[in-house]
Amino acid sequence: MKHLFLIFTLFCLSFSNSQTKNQSQLSIDNIMQGEGFVGYLPTDVSWTDDSKHIYFSWNPDNDTLRSTYRVHINTQKIEKLSFEDLKAKTNSGVYSKDYTQKVYEKNGDLFLLNTNTFENKRLTHTNNRETNPQFSADEKSIIFQQDNNLFQWHISDNTLKQLTDFKSGHKQSESKLNAKDQWLEDDQLKYFNILDKRKNENDAESYRQEQTRFDSPEPIYLGDKNLYGLDISPDLKYVIYRVYKSPNDKNTIVPDFVTQSGYTKDLNARPKVGGEQYTYESWILNLETNNHYQMDTNTIEGIKDKPAYLKDYAENLSEFKDTYENAREVIISNPIFSEDGKAIVNITSQDHKDRWIMLLNLKDGSLKQLDRQHDDAWVGGPGIGWFSSPEMGWIDNNTIWFKSEKTGYAHLYSANITNGNIKALTQGSFEIRETSLSKNRKTFFIISNKVSPHEHHFYHLPSKGGKMTQITTRKGGHEVTVSPDEKQLAIRYSYSNKPWELFVMPNKAGAKMIQLTESTTDEFKSYNWIDSEIINFTARDGAEVPATLYTPDSDKKNGAAIIFVHGAGYKQNVHHWWADYYREYMFHNFLADNGYTVLAIDFRASEGYGRDWRTAIYRHMGGKDLEDQIDGAKYLIDDHDIAKDRLGIYGGSYGGFITLMAMFNSPETFKSGAALRSVTDWAHYNHGYTSPILNTPVEDPIAYKQSSPIYFAEGLKGHLLMLHGMIDTNVHFQDVVRLSQRLIELKKENWELAVFPLEGHGFRESSSWSDEYRRIYKLFQETLN
């Protein structure tokens, strides 16, 4: 009998503990605290110069601000840096060829570090700002920038020389007297000897000063343009400078109503898409001759090509000319130099249809094409273009490396600058995400999703081509920082339900990854977070669409489902690492606890799946990307017994836009939707994001009419909740105000607007997050449950 009682007691305790672990009740107020609930995860990872410590940003004590910490990779001892430690901490910089010295900038001053003795020497101590230091080719001097000019500091004798003299405005020319005034002056000098004597003395003094003046750089006047980039060749013979001219365009105004002063303040924000754009020029200054000349892009291949979409607006197609009379505007990157002084540049057309990699002749500014990538939609991809700086460099003095999406996926290539031969170093249905070259230039260090679109791993690849060697192995996401001696890796690693932590491992395959931090709170760890399932459903066009599925326990399932739409359009949210949308991830756990099935889709336009997936929305946002949401709803109905009249949808920014399009264009699919900080009319968004996808409203009005929710508002039938920050300088509050007026005039009733006076695009305050998501949950409870 005692044994039976003991067994029963142990069973009850075990069941009770299981229930506590697996059914801890989440609250919206808790999970919307963000880092205060999850924990402050390590960020901003870097190494000490001796490769023995890792720096990172952390806040384990829940202090007012994050602080910088360091951890010893062998002892694993973690310590918080003092103010003195922060002052002594070195920044990233430029190494000498033998890596025995490093020059870097910190707080506007320059420092020189001996990497053998770790002796640190302060080179400047001024109120001006010195930036962009580099070694000359002979490594006898350091070149740096101050006040839009280049200076040379000689290491041996500490002397300083100014190399350029760029000046704003125009040169003041000597005024020439008119005939009448010249006669009067000549007559004065002729009849007044003292005046003539003084003039001769002044002329003699000016001549003497001119003859005894030390050499100095000739001034270059920029006129109505502004300097924005300065580079110098390693041999110090050529300066490449870039200038821009600001457009005469109208900026938007965002009123800030709740201010410290009590007065409304107007925030000066961005222009709208399609306005006049900045124009750019790139020039070369020969320091030996003082000649300067412009890089000429007017004759490069395809520079006058018209975009294909313009044919849709041709009145007579047979008379349509597929080239412009004038060359398209371009942006030229900063040059990248080889060790022997050759230079390559990346050139991007301002309409985003073309990207050229060119060999630059410094002697005359001429350009030789090494690679061209054209896309009738827009050139993009990781490390290629469109919100991604071009990744490229030199393998040796005759070979460059670069990335291209020419096969449909972002891959790594090399090109011989002499014969033009191009070699694919990687290939396949995956992306090379990040690339750097080892110090000896023999190995590429790569982040890739080769294993799966839903994992990121670190690889080695021989620089001449060969097999990619996978270094990291854990399922999930890896953000890797290589130590200065390239022997160790500092890794931020996470999994779907395990937030980012800091790890260290040797830089070789098969090595063990050791965890260094523990950042999550006890409250966060008390809940059994869902290891959400990644599935694929078949869209109407046959595409296999990836999505993350959250399913409630069978005894809780309520027959309703919610689809979450991620923001940014070009972003990935279906993966095996801790989400950027971590509040939404926790909210989806909360929804599953309350019986809802949740589906989060990497719809067409999402990042990580190659060019065709990215550009499927070209000229029609709210086309295939919306169809993927509707087809996802059908999948839920067919495969997960979801009632067809109990489907909701929500998302923020781009996700808010898709939510509006779903509620207006597919009202039979979604009974309710919550649209957060939504674009309601793409003609009112910014140029940099919108014009690659939709071109401009004047040139391609069809694209804007079929892509903007405001034109489809009459389709609203279900229940719509809109939420927006009033000081949003990204997607302006004006967007939702204009749509509200449209809904009023259409006499629509089932909609509400919640405003947040002290929030911008990305909410900051937990009170705002909580209010927002309580309203979203209430909407779904009242309409779906």
PDB file of all heavy atoms in Angstrom, residues 306-321 618-620 694-707:
ATOM      1  N   LYS A 306      17.514  51.465 -72.709  1.00  0.00           N
ATOM      2  CA  LYS A 306      16.272  51.782 -71.997  1.00  0.00           C
ATOM      3  C   LYS A 306      15.766  50.545 -71.272  1.00  0.00           C
ATOM      4  O   LYS A 306      15.942  49.415 -71.748  1.00  0.00           O
ATOM      5  CB  LYS A 306      15.191  52.237 -72.989  1.00  0.00           C
ATOM      6  CG  LYS A 306      15.351  53.638 -73.527  1.00  0.00           C
ATOM      7  CD  LYS A 306      14.167  53.993 -74.431  1.00  0.00           C
ATOM      8  CE  LYS A 306      14.296  55.408 -74.969  1.00  0.00           C
ATOM      9  NZ  LYS A 306      13.173  55.745 -75.888  1.00  0.00           N
ATOM     10  N   PRO A 307      15.111  50.719 -70.121  1.00  0.00           N
ATOM     11  CA  PRO A 307      14.491  49.576 -69.445  1.00  0.00           C
ATOM     12  C   PRO A 307      13.388  48.974 -70.312  1.00  0.00           C
ATOM     13  O   PRO A 307      12.675  49.695 -71.026  1.00  0.00           O
ATOM     14  CB  PRO A 307      13.911  50.196 -68.171  1.00  0.00           C
ATOM     15  CG  PRO A 307      14.649  51.470 -67.977  1.00  0.00           C
ATOM     16  CD  PRO A 307      14.994  51.958 -69.344  1.00  0.00           C
ATOM     17  N   ALA A 308      13.231  47.657 -70.219  1.00  0.00           N
ATOM     18  CA  ALA A 308      12.277  46.942 -71.071  1.00  0.00           C
ATOM     19  C   ALA A 308      10.838  47.370 -70.810  1.00  0.00           C
ATOM     20  O   ALA A 308      10.004  47.371 -71.729  1.00  0.00           O
ATOM     21  CB  ALA A 308      12.432  45.439 -70.869  1.00  0.00           C
ATOM     22  N   TYR A 309      10.514  47.771 -69.568  1.00  0.00           N
ATOM     23  CA  TYR A 309       9.113  48.082 -69.229  1.00  0.00           C
ATOM     24  C   TYR A 309       8.576  49.262 -70.023  1.00  0.00           C
ATOM     25  O   TYR A 309       7.354  49.410 -70.192  1.00  0.00           O
ATOM     26  CB  TYR A 309       8.961  48.335 -67.732  1.00  0.00           C
ATOM     27  CG  TYR A 309       9.457  49.686 -67.256  1.00  0.00           C
ATOM     28  CD1 TYR A 309       8.625  50.804 -67.277  1.00  0.00           C
ATOM     29  CD2 TYR A 309      10.757  49.845 -66.781  1.00  0.00           C
ATOM     30  CE1 TYR A 309       9.084  52.046 -66.846  1.00  0.00           C
ATOM     31  CE2 TYR A 309      11.216  51.071 -66.352  1.00  0.00           C
ATOM     32  CZ  TYR A 309      10.383  52.165 -66.380  1.00  0.00           C
ATOM     33  OH  TYR A 309      10.829  53.382 -65.952  1.00  0.00           O
ATOM     34  N   LEU A 310       9.454  50.130 -70.524  1.00  0.00           N
ATOM     35  CA  LEU A 310       8.994  51.309 -71.251  1.00  0.00           C
ATOM     36  C   LEU A 310       8.267  50.941 -72.541  1.00  0.00           C
ATOM     37  O   LEU A 310       7.490  51.747 -73.071  1.00  0.00           O
ATOM     38  CB  LEU A 310      10.168  52.237 -71.552  1.00  0.00           C
ATOM     39  CG  LEU A 310      10.774  52.959 -70.340  1.00  0.00           C
ATOM     40  CD1 LEU A 310      11.980  53.791 -70.760  1.00  0.00           C
ATOM     41  CD2 LEU A 310       9.732  53.830 -69.650  1.00  0.00           C
ATOM     42  N   LYS A 311       8.503  49.735 -73.040  1.00  0.00           N
ATOM     43  CA  LYS A 311       7.777  49.292 -74.232  1.00  0.00           C
ATOM     44  C   LYS A 311       6.275  49.232 -73.977  1.00  0.00           C
ATOM     45  O   LYS A 311       5.474  49.396 -74.903  1.00  0.00           O
ATOM     46  CB  LYS A 311       8.279  47.910 -74.677  1.00  0.00           C
ATOM     47  CG  LYS A 311       9.702  47.909 -75.223  1.00  0.00           C
ATOM     48  CD  LYS A 311      10.125  46.502 -75.654  1.00  0.00           C
ATOM     49  CE  LYS A 311      11.560  46.516 -76.185  1.00  0.00           C
ATOM     50  NZ  LYS A 311      12.011  45.151 -76.574  1.00  0.00           N
ATOM     51  N   ASP A 312       5.877  48.998 -72.720  1.00  0.00           N
ATOM     52  CA  ASP A 312       4.453  48.930 -72.396  1.00  0.00           C
ATOM     53  C   ASP A 312       3.753  50.264 -72.611  1.00  0.00           C
ATOM     54  O   ASP A 312       2.525  50.320 -72.702  1.00  0.00           O
ATOM     55  CB  ASP A 312       4.254  48.482 -70.945  1.00  0.00           C
ATOM     56  CG  ASP A 312       4.657  47.040 -70.728  1.00  0.00           C
ATOM     57  OD1 ASP A 312       4.977  46.359 -71.717  1.00  0.00           O
ATOM     58  OD2 ASP A 312       4.658  46.589 -69.561  1.00  0.00           O
ATOM     59  N   TYR A 313       4.529  51.333 -72.666  1.00  0.00           N
ATOM     60  CA  TYR A 313       3.938  52.660 -72.808  1.00  0.00           C
ATOM     61  C   TYR A 313       4.179  53.252 -74.198  1.00  0.00           C
ATOM     62  O   TYR A 313       3.833  54.414 -74.441  1.00  0.00           O
ATOM     63  CB  TYR A 313       4.506  53.597 -71.737  1.00  0.00           C
ATOM     64  CG  TYR A 313       4.151  53.148 -70.335  1.00  0.00           C
ATOM     65  CD1 TYR A 313       5.043  52.379 -69.602  1.00  0.00           C
ATOM     66  CD2 TYR A 313       2.929  53.468 -69.762  1.00  0.00           C
ATOM     67  CE1 TYR A 313       4.722  51.952 -68.317  1.00  0.00           C
ATOM     68  CE2 TYR A 313       2.598  53.052 -68.486  1.00  0.00           C
ATOM     69  CZ  TYR A 313       3.509  52.291 -67.762  1.00  0.00           C
ATOM     70  OH  TYR A 313       3.182  51.865 -66.506  1.00  0.00           O
ATOM     71  N   ALA A 314       4.754  52.463 -75.098  1.00  0.00           N
ATOM     72  CA  ALA A 314       5.009  52.951 -76.454  1.00  0.00           C
ATOM     73  C   ALA A 314       3.706  53.003 -77.240  1.00  0.00           C
ATOM     74  O   ALA A 314       2.958  52.025 -77.285  1.00  0.00           O
ATOM     75  CB  ALA A 314       6.021  52.044 -77.156  1.00  0.00           C
ATOM     76  N   GLU A 315       3.413  54.150 -77.851  1.00  0.00           N
ATOM     77  CA  GLU A 315       2.198  54.283 -78.651  1.00  0.00           C
ATOM     78  C   GLU A 315       2.298  53.437 -79.911  1.00  0.00           C
ATOM     79  O   GLU A 315       1.308  52.864 -80.365  1.00  0.00           O
ATOM     80  CB  GLU A 315       1.972  55.757 -79.009  1.00  0.00           C
ATOM     81  CG  GLU A 315       1.654  56.631 -77.798  1.00  0.00           C
ATOM     82  CD  GLU A 315       1.376  58.070 -78.197  1.00  0.00           C
ATOM     83  OE1 GLU A 315       1.336  58.349 -79.418  1.00  0.00           O
ATOM     84  OE2 GLU A 315       1.203  58.903 -77.288  1.00  0.00           O
ATOM     85  N   ASN A 316       3.480  53.361 -80.478  1.00  0.00           N
ATOM     86  CA  ASN A 316       3.699  52.555 -81.673  1.00  0.00           C
ATOM     87  C   ASN A 316       4.972  51.744 -81.447  1.00  0.00           C
ATOM     88  O   ASN A 316       6.077  52.279 -81.498  1.00  0.00           O
ATOM     89  CB  ASN A 316       3.826  53.453 -82.909  1.00  0.00           C
ATOM     90  CG  ASN A 316       3.870  52.634 -84.197  1.00  0.00           C
ATOM     91  OD1 ASN A 316       4.185  51.444 -84.196  1.00  0.00           O
ATOM     92  ND2 ASN A 316       3.544  53.285 -85.314  1.00  0.00           N
ATOM     93  N   LEU A 317       4.817  50.441 -81.167  1.00  0.00           N
ATOM     94  CA  LEU A 317       5.950  49.601 -80.799  1.00  0.00           C
ATOM     95  C   LEU A 317       6.998  49.535 -81.901  1.00  0.00           C
ATOM     96  O   LEU A 317       8.204  49.434 -81.627  1.00  0.00           O
ATOM     97  CB  LEU A 317       5.460  48.193 -80.439  1.00  0.00           C
ATOM     98  CG  LEU A 317       6.450  47.313 -79.658  1.00  0.00           C
ATOM     99  CD1 LEU A 317       6.862  47.982 -78.361  1.00  0.00           C
ATOM    100  CD2 LEU A 317       5.842  45.943 -79.381  1.00  0.00           C
ATOM    101  N   SER A 318       6.555  49.614 -83.165  1.00  0.00           N
ATOM    102  CA  SER A 318       7.503  49.529 -84.279  1.00  0.00           C
ATOM    103  C   SER A 318       8.429  50.737 -84.324  1.00  0.00           C
ATOM    104  O   SER A 318       9.516  50.665 -84.892  1.00  0.00           O
ATOM    105  CB  SER A 318       6.752  49.394 -85.606  1.00  0.00           C
ATOM    106  OG  SER A 318       5.958  50.548 -85.846  1.00  0.00           O
ATOM    107  N   GLU A 319       8.000  51.843 -83.716  1.00  0.00           N
ATOM    108  CA  GLU A 319       8.812  53.053 -83.708  1.00  0.00           C
ATOM    109  C   GLU A 319       9.565  53.249 -82.395  1.00  0.00           C
ATOM    110  O   GLU A 319      10.273  54.240 -82.223  1.00  0.00           O
ATOM    111  CB  GLU A 319       7.929  54.277 -83.967  1.00  0.00           C
ATOM    112  CG  GLU A 319       7.255  54.260 -85.335  1.00  0.00           C
ATOM    113  CD  GLU A 319       6.375  55.474 -85.549  1.00  0.00           C
ATOM    114  OE1 GLU A 319       6.293  56.318 -84.623  1.00  0.00           O
ATOM    115  OE2 GLU A 319       5.767  55.579 -86.632  1.00  0.00           O
ATOM    116  N   PHE A 320       9.413  52.294 -81.473  1.00  0.00           N
ATOM    117  CA  PHE A 320      10.059  52.408 -80.164  1.00  0.00           C
ATOM    118  C   PHE A 320      11.566  52.254 -80.300  1.00  0.00           C
ATOM    119  O   PHE A 320      12.062  51.324 -80.932  1.00  0.00           O
ATOM    120  CB  PHE A 320       9.515  51.336 -79.212  1.00  0.00           C
ATOM    121  CG  PHE A 320      10.171  51.326 -77.856  1.00  0.00           C
ATOM    122  CD1 PHE A 320       9.814  52.246 -76.890  1.00  0.00           C
ATOM    123  CD2 PHE A 320      11.158  50.392 -77.550  1.00  0.00           C
ATOM    124  CE1 PHE A 320      10.411  52.252 -75.649  1.00  0.00           C
ATOM    125  CE2 PHE A 320      11.764  50.378 -76.313  1.00  0.00           C
ATOM    126  CZ  PHE A 320      11.382  51.317 -75.361  1.00  0.00           C
ATOM    127  N   LYS A 321      12.306  53.196 -79.732  1.00  0.00           N
ATOM    128  CA  LYS A 321      13.763  53.120 -79.698  1.00  0.00           C
ATOM    129  C   LYS A 321      14.208  52.555 -78.353  1.00  0.00           C
ATOM    130  O   LYS A 321      13.757  53.046 -77.316  1.00  0.00           O
ATOM    131  CB  LYS A 321      14.378  54.500 -79.911  1.00  0.00           C
ATOM    132  CG  LYS A 321      14.116  55.083 -81.287  1.00  0.00           C
ATOM    133  CD  LYS A 321      14.802  56.441 -81.441  1.00  0.00           C
ATOM    134  CE  LYS A 321      14.569  57.001 -82.838  1.00  0.00           C
ATOM    135  NZ  LYS A 321      15.228  58.333 -83.015  1.00  0.00           N
ATOM    136  N   TYR A 618       8.362  42.247 -59.147  1.00  0.00           N
ATOM    137  CA  TYR A 618       8.705  43.391 -59.991  1.00  0.00           C
ATOM    138  C   TYR A 618       7.465  43.938 -60.699  1.00  0.00           C
ATOM    139  O   TYR A 618       6.726  43.205 -61.344  1.00  0.00           O
ATOM    140  CB  TYR A 618       9.761  42.991 -61.017  1.00  0.00           C
ATOM    141  CG  TYR A 618      10.148  44.101 -61.963  1.00  0.00           C
ATOM    142  CD1 TYR A 618      10.626  45.319 -61.479  1.00  0.00           C
ATOM    143  CD2 TYR A 618      10.030  43.944 -63.345  1.00  0.00           C
ATOM    144  CE1 TYR A 618      10.978  46.349 -62.340  1.00  0.00           C
ATOM    145  CE2 TYR A 618      10.389  44.964 -64.218  1.00  0.00           C
ATOM    146  CZ  TYR A 618      10.849  46.167 -63.702  1.00  0.00           C
ATOM    147  OH  TYR A 618      11.189  47.194 -64.560  1.00  0.00           O
ATOM    148  N   ARG A 619       7.219  45.212 -60.489  1.00  0.00           N
ATOM    149  CA  ARG A 619       6.109  45.976 -61.066  1.00  0.00           C
ATOM    150  C   ARG A 619       4.741  45.577 -60.510  1.00  0.00           C
ATOM    151  O   ARG A 619       3.724  46.112 -60.950  1.00  0.00           O
ATOM    152  CB  ARG A 619       6.091  45.870 -62.599  1.00  0.00           C
ATOM    153  CG  ARG A 619       7.355  46.400 -63.278  1.00  0.00           C
ATOM    154  CD  ARG A 619       7.213  46.401 -64.779  1.00  0.00           C
ATOM    155  NE  ARG A 619       6.245  47.400 -65.208  1.00  0.00           N
ATOM    156  CZ  ARG A 619       5.636  47.382 -66.387  1.00  0.00           C
ATOM    157  NH1 ARG A 619       5.874  46.387 -67.238  1.00  0.00           N
ATOM    158  NH2 ARG A 619       4.789  48.324 -66.710  1.00  0.00           N
ATOM    159  N   HIS A 620       4.708  44.648 -59.565  1.00  0.00           N
ATOM    160  CA  HIS A 620       3.422  44.296 -58.962  1.00  0.00           C
ATOM    161  C   HIS A 620       3.618  43.767 -57.540  1.00  0.00           C
ATOM    162  O   HIS A 620       3.600  42.556 -57.289  1.00  0.00           O
ATOM    163  CB  HIS A 620       2.680  43.264 -59.807  1.00  0.00           C
ATOM    164  CG  HIS A 620       1.249  43.097 -59.387  1.00  0.00           C
ATOM    165  ND1 HIS A 620       0.400  42.158 -59.950  1.00  0.00           N
ATOM    166  CD2 HIS A 620       0.504  43.747 -58.451  1.00  0.00           C
ATOM    167  CE1 HIS A 620      -0.789  42.249 -59.378  1.00  0.00           C
ATOM    168  NE2 HIS A 620      -0.752  43.193 -58.464  1.00  0.00           N
ATOM    169  N   LEU A 694       9.265  49.158 -58.543  1.00  0.00           N
ATOM    170  CA  LEU A 694       8.112  49.685 -59.283  1.00  0.00           C
ATOM    171  C   LEU A 694       8.492  50.770 -60.278  1.00  0.00           C
ATOM    172  O   LEU A 694       7.602  51.381 -60.879  1.00  0.00           O
ATOM    173  CB  LEU A 694       7.069  50.238 -58.303  1.00  0.00           C
ATOM    174  CG  LEU A 694       6.458  49.258 -57.298  1.00  0.00           C
ATOM    175  CD1 LEU A 694       5.436  49.970 -56.426  1.00  0.00           C
ATOM    176  CD2 LEU A 694       5.806  48.071 -58.011  1.00  0.00           C
ATOM    177  N   ASN A 695       9.779  51.047 -60.457  1.00  0.00           N
ATOM    178  CA  ASN A 695      10.239  52.158 -61.286  1.00  0.00           C
ATOM    179  C   ASN A 695       9.731  53.464 -60.665  1.00  0.00           C
ATOM    180  O   ASN A 695       9.814  53.602 -59.464  1.00  0.00           O
ATOM    181  CB  ASN A 695       9.833  51.930 -62.735  1.00  0.00           C
ATOM    182  CG  ASN A 695      10.359  50.581 -63.258  1.00  0.00           C
ATOM    183  OD1 ASN A 695      11.558  50.305 -63.166  1.00  0.00           O
ATOM    184  ND2 ASN A 695       9.479  49.722 -63.741  1.00  0.00           N
ATOM    185  N   THR A 696       9.216  54.403 -61.430  1.00  0.00           N
ATOM    186  CA  THR A 696       8.728  55.646 -60.823  1.00  0.00           C
ATOM    187  C   THR A 696       7.271  55.873 -61.224  1.00  0.00           C
ATOM    188  O   THR A 696       6.821  55.399 -62.281  1.00  0.00           O
ATOM    189  CB  THR A 696       9.564  56.860 -61.250  1.00  0.00           C
ATOM    190  OG1 THR A 696       9.400  57.087 -62.658  1.00  0.00           O
ATOM    191  CG2 THR A 696      11.037  56.648 -60.927  1.00  0.00           C
ATOM    192  N   PRO A 697       6.518  56.609 -60.424  1.00  0.00           N
ATOM    193  CA  PRO A 697       5.085  56.801 -60.720  1.00  0.00           C
ATOM    194  C   PRO A 697       4.825  57.472 -62.064  1.00  0.00           C
ATOM    195  O   PRO A 697       3.844  57.162 -62.733  1.00  0.00           O
ATOM    196  CB  PRO A 697       4.600  57.683 -59.566  1.00  0.00           C
ATOM    197  CG  PRO A 697       5.577  57.467 -58.471  1.00  0.00           C
ATOM    198  CD  PRO A 697       6.892  57.228 -59.136  1.00  0.00           C
ATOM    199  N   VAL A 698       5.690  58.399 -62.463  1.00  0.00           N
ATOM    200  CA  VAL A 698       5.488  59.089 -63.734  1.00  0.00           C
ATOM    201  C   VAL A 698       5.769  58.161 -64.906  1.00  0.00           C
ATOM    202  O   VAL A 698       5.019  58.124 -65.892  1.00  0.00           O
ATOM    203  CB  VAL A 698       6.381  60.346 -63.816  1.00  0.00           C
ATOM    204  CG1 VAL A 698       6.328  60.966 -65.206  1.00  0.00           C
ATOM    205  CG2 VAL A 698       5.948  61.368 -62.769  1.00  0.00           C
ATOM    206  N   GLU A 699       6.847  57.369 -64.803  1.00  0.00           N
ATOM    207  CA  GLU A 699       7.243  56.507 -65.917  1.00  0.00           C
ATOM    208  C   GLU A 699       6.492  55.182 -65.937  1.00  0.00           C
ATOM    209  O   GLU A 699       6.342  54.574 -67.003  1.00  0.00           O
ATOM    210  CB  GLU A 699       8.751  56.233 -65.855  1.00  0.00           C
ATOM    211  CG  GLU A 699       9.609  57.455 -66.136  1.00  0.00           C
ATOM    212  CD  GLU A 699      11.084  57.110 -66.095  1.00  0.00           C
ATOM    213  OE1 GLU A 699      11.526  56.494 -65.122  1.00  0.00           O
ATOM    214  OE2 GLU A 699      11.787  57.463 -67.050  1.00  0.00           O
ATOM    215  N   ASP A 700       6.042  54.698 -64.788  1.00  0.00           N
ATOM    216  CA  ASP A 700       5.381  53.386 -64.731  1.00  0.00           C
ATOM    217  C   ASP A 700       4.151  53.451 -63.826  1.00  0.00           C
ATOM    218  O   ASP A 700       4.080  52.768 -62.805  1.00  0.00           O
ATOM    219  CB  ASP A 700       6.370  52.330 -64.221  1.00  0.00           C
ATOM    220  CG  ASP A 700       5.937  50.908 -64.575  1.00  0.00           C
ATOM    221  OD1 ASP A 700       4.862  50.743 -65.182  1.00  0.00           O
ATOM    222  OD2 ASP A 700       6.674  49.965 -64.235  1.00  0.00           O
ATOM    223  N   PRO A 701       3.147  54.267 -64.188  1.00  0.00           N
ATOM    224  CA  PRO A 701       1.958  54.388 -63.328  1.00  0.00           C
ATOM    225  C   PRO A 701       1.185  53.085 -63.166  1.00  0.00           C
ATOM    226  O   PRO A 701       0.534  52.875 -62.138  1.00  0.00           O
ATOM    227  CB  PRO A 701       1.113  55.451 -64.043  1.00  0.00           C
ATOM    228  CG  PRO A 701       1.608  55.440 -65.462  1.00  0.00           C
ATOM    229  CD  PRO A 701       3.051  55.107 -65.384  1.00  0.00           C
ATOM    230  N   ILE A 702       1.264  52.190 -64.161  1.00  0.00           N
ATOM    231  CA  ILE A 702       0.566  50.904 -64.056  1.00  0.00           C
ATOM    232  C   ILE A 702       1.045  50.147 -62.823  1.00  0.00           C
ATOM    233  O   ILE A 702       0.241  49.582 -62.067  1.00  0.00           O
ATOM    234  CB  ILE A 702       0.799  50.055 -65.327  1.00  0.00           C
ATOM    235  CG1 ILE A 702       0.129  50.703 -66.542  1.00  0.00           C
ATOM    236  CG2 ILE A 702       0.287  48.633 -65.130  1.00  0.00           C
ATOM    237  CD1 ILE A 702       0.488  50.035 -67.865  1.00  0.00           C
ATOM    238  N   ALA A 703       2.372  50.131 -62.617  1.00  0.00           N
ATOM    239  CA  ALA A 703       2.938  49.400 -61.480  1.00  0.00           C
ATOM    240  C   ALA A 703       2.419  49.950 -60.156  1.00  0.00           C
ATOM    241  O   ALA A 703       2.115  49.183 -59.230  1.00  0.00           O
ATOM    242  CB  ALA A 703       4.459  49.473 -61.527  1.00  0.00           C
ATOM    243  N   TYR A 704       2.311  51.251 -60.040  1.00  0.00           N
ATOM    244  CA  TYR A 704       1.866  51.868 -58.789  1.00  0.00           C
ATOM    245  C   TYR A 704       0.370  51.671 -58.573  1.00  0.00           C
ATOM    246  O   TYR A 704      -0.074  51.453 -57.439  1.00  0.00           O
ATOM    247  CB  TYR A 704       2.239  53.353 -58.771  1.00  0.00           C
ATOM    248  CG  TYR A 704       3.706  53.558 -58.493  1.00  0.00           C
ATOM    249  CD1 TYR A 704       4.657  53.416 -59.505  1.00  0.00           C
ATOM    250  CD2 TYR A 704       4.166  53.849 -57.216  1.00  0.00           C
ATOM    251  CE1 TYR A 704       6.009  53.569 -59.250  1.00  0.00           C
ATOM    252  CE2 TYR A 704       5.522  54.007 -56.950  1.00  0.00           C
ATOM    253  CZ  TYR A 704       6.430  53.859 -57.970  1.00  0.00           C
ATOM    254  OH  TYR A 704       7.766  54.010 -57.702  1.00  0.00           O
ATOM    255  N   LYS A 705      -0.412  51.733 -59.638  1.00  0.00           N
ATOM    256  CA  LYS A 705      -1.864  51.565 -59.500  1.00  0.00           C
ATOM    257  C   LYS A 705      -2.223  50.152 -59.059  1.00  0.00           C
ATOM    258  O   LYS A 705      -3.147  49.951 -58.269  1.00  0.00           O
ATOM    259  CB  LYS A 705      -2.554  51.871 -60.839  1.00  0.00           C
ATOM    260  CG  LYS A 705      -2.503  53.331 -61.250  1.00  0.00           C
ATOM    261  CD  LYS A 705      -3.430  54.197 -60.422  1.00  0.00           C
ATOM    262  CE  LYS A 705      -3.436  55.637 -60.930  1.00  0.00           C
ATOM    263  NZ  LYS A 705      -4.314  56.505 -60.120  1.00  0.00           N
ATOM    264  N   GLN A 706      -1.486  49.145 -59.552  1.00  0.00           N
ATOM    265  CA  GLN A 706      -1.841  47.765 -59.198  1.00  0.00           C
ATOM    266  C   GLN A 706      -1.153  47.305 -57.909  1.00  0.00           C
ATOM    267  O   GLN A 706      -1.429  46.218 -57.416  1.00  0.00           O
ATOM    268  CB  GLN A 706      -1.496  46.819 -60.342  1.00  0.00           C
ATOM    269  CG  GLN A 706      -0.021  46.649 -60.653  1.00  0.00           C
ATOM    270  CD  GLN A 706       0.219  45.806 -61.891  1.00  0.00           C
ATOM    271  OE1 GLN A 706      -0.717  45.375 -62.564  1.00  0.00           O
ATOM    272  NE2 GLN A 706       1.489  45.545 -62.210  1.00  0.00           N
ATOM    273  N   SER A 707      -0.287  48.168 -57.331  1.00  0.00           N
ATOM    274  CA  SER A 707       0.479  47.768 -56.155  1.00  0.00           C
ATOM    275  C   SER A 707       0.085  48.507 -54.882  1.00  0.00           C
ATOM    276  O   SER A 707       0.582  48.151 -53.807  1.00  0.00           O
ATOM    277  CB  SER A 707       1.983  47.995 -56.410  1.00  0.00           C
ATOM    278  OG  SER A 707       2.448  47.225 -57.491  1.00  0.00           O
TER     279      SER A 707
END
